[in-house]
Amino acid sequence: MTKPLEGIKIIDFTHVQAGPACTQLLAWYGADVIKVERPGAGDVTRSQLRDIPDADALYFTMLNSNKRSLTLDTKTAEGKEVLERLIKESDVLVENFGPGALDRMGFSWDRIKELNPGMIVASVKGFSDGHHYQDLKVYENVAQCAGGAASTTGFWDGPPTVSAAALGDSNTGMHLAIGILTALMARTKTGKGQKVAVSMQDSVLNLCRVKLRDQQRLDRVGYLEEYPQYPHGKFSDVVPRGGNAGGGGQPGWVLKCKGWETDPNAYIYFTIQGHAWAPICKALGREEWIDDPAYNTALARQDKIFDIFAIIEDWLKDKTKFRGGRHPAQVRHPVRAGAVDEGDRQRPVAARQRHGGGGRPQAARQVPDGRQPDQVLRHDGGGHRLPAARRAHRRGAGPTRLQQGPDRRHAPGQGGLRRTAAALP
């Protein structure tokens, strides 16, 4: 089974997280991604947040597996010549430089089209072209604020709150990957390349669409019935922060369960969906609520929702898991091994790789195996390649040395690492 992007070559001029998250995803699906790095230093995340001395940081390795690495100084004539050759034989160039950087390098869109009419140039920017902030640099949390996510996250009596999930960075990378794949499909019809641009602000804003929905509803009726402030609180002219409210037609909240006194994640997100109301009432011993008009609609319950949640929380005090309407609801820590569900362990979602220094195993994201026809973009798990190590990256003689990370098969217990290096064609 071949991977869907085999035969596609990508020049990866990105660094830190948004761009590398995009190109790593494309590499998982078979694209040959050549990561272009600064001579002598490489991607800044090779040393950022390092926990093993003189080894590439986890920040770098988690985002750059399955790529090859090229040291290239585009300020030199030799470096420009190498880049021209790469452009002629590649399909996609991905960059997250500041505005105008490619032009200053001598590789404007017109020049790239001249070298390769089928080239797709994909860019990550903080703000879209033409925006009055287009010249500003943007980072993860800035994007969450500029895109509106922070303004509606947190509790109503507190400040805006940014999410620990990478809504600004990795989310932007996923949007960019979709744009690149669409452009590749368009090229099969037209034979022509095109520019793809994604801004971090717009990517965050796209994930806030339900809040845009709420803003329009608020403008029309002056209140939001599913928010905890209704009906006793006051609404201004902007969507308020809603705490742990579900933000939809099903009231929900985070409630304590067994062990909360010592376990910071011993909580359950409990959702009261309409079709589950009768089973919930029976479980709570409140069957009289099932047909009571003061309780049997979501709007009726909203007036007394926290009283209902207090009763549910008391019922949960000796329980560690709840499946209401077959929806798992427990709060889980994203990284602690002890918090991984047995169902997660049975899915091949993580490959283990040796770190370039210290010999410590570390987690590396792998697209799950599987060949079921109803599962989209499953990948055959044929092999996992580590990022090119910094020592290999530095060893390159001049700007034309291409380093490829070691190979390691997914199956547990198989052999060590095999180093390979490929010279630039």
Side-chain angles (χ1 to χ4, degrees), residues 166-187:
L167 303 183
D169 278 329
S170 282
N171 163 50
T172 300
M174 299 305 100
H175 277 80
L176 187 65
I178 293 168
I180 291 170
L181 294 174
T182 303
L184 286 169
M185 290 186 68
R187 193 181 66 176

Side-chain angles (χ1 to χ4, degrees), residues 48-267:
Q48 208 168 46
L49 305 177
R50 178 185 283 148
D51 64 323
I52 298 177
D54 300 320
D56 288 326
L58 295 171
Y59 197 3
F60 176 82
T61 58
M62 71 183 293
L63 288 161
N64 291 286
S65 57
N66 277 26
K67 302 177 186 179
R68 296 190 286 166
S69 181
L70 171 67
T71 299
L72 189 64
D73 185 357
T74 57
K75 295 180 181 179
T76 67
E78 185 183 9
K80 291 181 189 297
E81 180 185 350
V82 170
L83 182 53
E84 285 188 3
R85 291 168 59 194
L86 274 175
I87 290 173
K88 289 178 181 178
E89 65 186 31
S90 298
D91 301 279
V92 184
L93 185 152
V94 190
E95 59 91 13
N96 61 349
F97 296 127
L102 272 179
D103 292 355
R104 292 190 295 273
M105 246 184 243
F107 292 91
S108 65
W109 171 235
D110 287 338
R111 176 59 177 151
I112 291 173
K113 283 195 299 182
E114 181 183 321
L115 293 168
N116 183 350
M119 174 65 78
I120 293 159
V121 176
S123 302
V124 172
K125 295 291 180 282
F127 296 91
S128 58
D129 289 345
H131 194 285
H132 56 282
Y133 290 152
Q134 68 176 15
D135 60 329
L136 299 182
K137 291 184 178 180
V138 172
Y139 298 94
E140 165 69 48
N141 292 342
V142 176
Q144 289 194 36
C145 292
S151 72
T152 59
T153 304
F155 286 87
W156 52 89
D157 56 353
T161 305
V162 296
S163 169
L167 303 183
D169 278 329
S170 282
N171 163 50
T172 300
M174 299 305 100
H175 277 80
L176 187 65
I178 293 168
I180 291 170
L181 294 174
T182 303
L184 286 169
M185 290 186 68
R187 193 181 66 176
T188 64
K189 300 176 182 179
T190 66
K192 297 179 180 180
Q194 60 180 288
K195 294 177 74 173
V196 176
V198 173
S199 83
M200 296 174 72
Q201 181 196 34
D202 290 346
S203 297
V204 173
L205 185 63
N206 189 43
L207 294 190
C208 293
R209 62 183 71 180
V210 295
K211 299 302 180 180
L212 298 176
R213 170 206 66 192
D214 292 349
Q215 184 64 56
Q216 294 178 69
R217 294 170 54 229
L218 181 63
D219 291 343
R220 181 175 293 274
V221 300
Y223 64 90
L224 297 167
E225 65 188 42
E226 76 280 15
Y227 280 66
Q229 295 89 327
Y230 178 84
H232 306 296
K234 292 184 179 180
F235 288 85
S236 70
D237 59 351
V238 296
V239 174
R241 289 180 277 283
N244 281 311
Q250 301 83 34
W253 204 257
V254 169
L255 304 176
K256 299 172 185 174
C257 61
K258 184 178 181 180
W260 69 270
E261 298 90 345
T262 56
D263 183 351
N265 292 301
Y267 289 79

Side-chain angles (χ1 to χ4, degrees), residues 276-291 295:
W277 178 241
I280 289 171
C281 292
K282 291 177 182 178
L284 296 175
R286 305 278 179 147
E287 294 190 34
E288 68 276 11
W289 286 354
I290 295 174
D291 298 315
Y295 287 91

Side-chain angles (χ1 to χ4, degrees), residues 327-354:
H327 297 297
Q330 67 271 26
V331 174
R332 293 161 48 183
H333 195 284
V335 292
R336 283 185 56 214
V340 176
D341 186 88
E342 185 60 33
D344 293 330
R345 295 181 189 279
Q346 293 171 2
R347 294 185 294 120
V349 295
R352 295 186 68 79
Q353 65 183 32
R354 298 185 191 279

